[in-house]
Amino acid sequence: MEAVARASIAASSHAPVPLCRRPRPHRAARCLGGRRSVACAAAADADVVRLFDAAKLTVDEFVKSGMVVGLGSGAASGLAVQYLGTRLRRGSLTGIVGIPSSVICASEAEKAGIKVGSHEEGAQIDFAFTDADVIEEGTLAAVIGRGKTESGQPSFIQEKGIVESADKVAFIIDNDKYVNGIEGSIPVLVKSGNWIDTAEEIDDLFLGDAEVWRRPSIGTAGPSGGDFPLVTKEGHHILDVIFTTPIQDLGKVAEGLEKIVGVVDHGIICNTTPYAVIASKGEVQVLDRKSSVIPNT
């Protein structure tokens, strides 16, 4: 990977406390099912440790006392929330207000001892972090919202709004999610009343390159979403635009979707100047669009 700054994870200068311990791998003796199960468990533990290192660096490098911080969703963001709470309990950070991206995130932040605020349109957010499903190499455009959303729950639109409102943004990802030529789905939030017309327009826009499926609320279903399609708290459906060929430019995909009547929003974030904090084996890599070193924060 080019233009990537390799940031070594130095030991924190703060006095260690039990609440900020690095996640410990499970002992192999506790794994059942033979060598394959042990290997799978070890790999999963290594992933958690890598994500924790990335989450820790994100908080240490970007979060300063007195900030309003957008708290994202996902495994890495959850670890960052826990570590941020540890820094507050130590007293090495003070006066932090967290703006959670979901009900679950708000609950975890409160458990961690973080003062929780609410996101309002135009509210000042100094810094935000979140997971991304995938990041486009070079542009750092990101896709969020591929994960399951329960009916009646807010969609990814809340998370996206927080990210786009922040002065600085960091996406925390594993190394395999930083790619050139993104594959897979783009979630699109659409008005429920005319969703079929909207889906047909999207299908025409990407004719031959993508399929459009309405997301079901339970299990799996066909393109129409079955008898129980997902309905978000805002009253919208989610269409998963599943690309069958690699996406060469996420920005152009976003522009095309935004011109379609009935599209409320989509899971592409490309109107920010983000940092990518990438969890790799043995190191954490940080990059932005302009520099190959960690900028002064």
Side-chain angles (χ1 to χ4, degrees):
M1 187 185 305
E2 296 181 1
V4 173
R6 300 188 176 183
S8 61
I9 308 298
S12 173
S13 59
H14 306 292
V17 295
L19 292 171
C20 110
R21 286 175 182 162
R22 203 170 187 238
R24 292 181 177 178
H26 300 292
R27 293 180 181 176
R30 294 182 182 177
C31 299
L32 301 178
R35 293 180 179 178
R36 181 174 298 178
S37 295
V38 172
C40 290
D45 287 331
D47 289 343
V48 173
V49 170
R50 288 201 303 270
L51 284 179
F52 175 78
D53 286 342
K56 179 179 181 295
L57 184 142
T58 299
V59 173
D60 288 341
E61 288 291 330
F62 294 102
V63 179
K64 311 299 180 186
S65 292
M67 278 188 169
V68 177
V69 180
L71 310 176
S73 300
S77 295
L79 293 169
V81 166
Q82 293 176 28
Y83 179 67
L84 177 57
T86 296
R87 290 285 309 273
L88 288 168
R89 289 191 294 275
R90 284 177 173 173
S92 56
L93 283 174
T94 59
I96 299 294
V97 176
I99 308 298
S101 59
S102 67
V103 174
I104 293 175
C105 179
S107 175
E108 291 301 312
E110 289 175 346
K111 290 177 183 177
I114 300 170
K115 181 180 178 181
V116 172
S118 61
H119 178 238
E120 299 177 358
E121 197 69 31
Q124 177 68 32
I125 298 176
D126 300 299
F127 171 68
F129 58 77
T130 193
D131 291 38
D133 294 311
V134 66
I135 290 181
E136 186 175 63
E137 187 176 330
T139 68
L140 303 191
V143 176
I144 64 171
R146 286 182 176 175
K148 183 174 175 58
T149 301
E150 301 292 339
S151 279
Q153 294 298 314
S155 67
F156 57 83
I157 194 171
Q158 182 171 335
E159 179 183 359
K160 182 175 178 180
I162 289 172
V163 168
E164 292 187 334
S165 297
D167 291 341
K168 289 183 180 181
V169 177
F171 295 114
I172 312 173
I173 60 169
D174 209 345
N175 185 59
D176 61 358
K177 294 183 178 182
Y178 181 70
V179 299
N180 182 20
I182 287 174
E183 299 179 347
S185 64
I186 304 295
V188 181
L189 197 67
V190 300
K191 295 178 180 179
S192 58
N194 61 344
W195 77 269
I196 294 179
D197 292 339
T198 305
E200 288 178 348
E201 284 198 50
I202 294 173
D203 188 58
D204 290 342
L205 177 65
F206 303 115
L207 189 62
D209 292 324
E211 300 176 356
V212 182
W213 290 50
R214 183 167 62 158
R215 191 177 296 186
S217 60
I218 55 173
T220 57
S224 67
D227 296 330
F228 302 99
L230 187 147
V231 180
T232 69
K233 182 179 180 180
E234 304 92 0
H236 304 314
H237 291 314
I238 295 178
L239 301 180
D240 288 309
V241 183
I242 306 167
F243 282 81
T244 54
T245 59
I247 301 170
Q248 299 303 319
D249 189 333
L250 273 178
K252 289 184 178 179
V253 172
E255 289 177 9
L257 290 170
E258 289 163 6
K259 294 177 182 177
I260 295 177
V261 175
V263 170
V264 178
D265 209 338
H266 50 74
I268 299 173
I269 301 177
C270 56
N271 295 323
T272 62
T273 305
Y275 301 91
V277 183
I278 303 173
S280 301
K281 186 176 181 180
E283 63 183 355
V284 176
Q285 302 169 317
V286 181
L287 61 87
D288 63 12
R289 291 176 183 170
K290 299 178 180 179
S291 175
S292 61
V293 298
I294 299 177
N296 293 326
T297 57

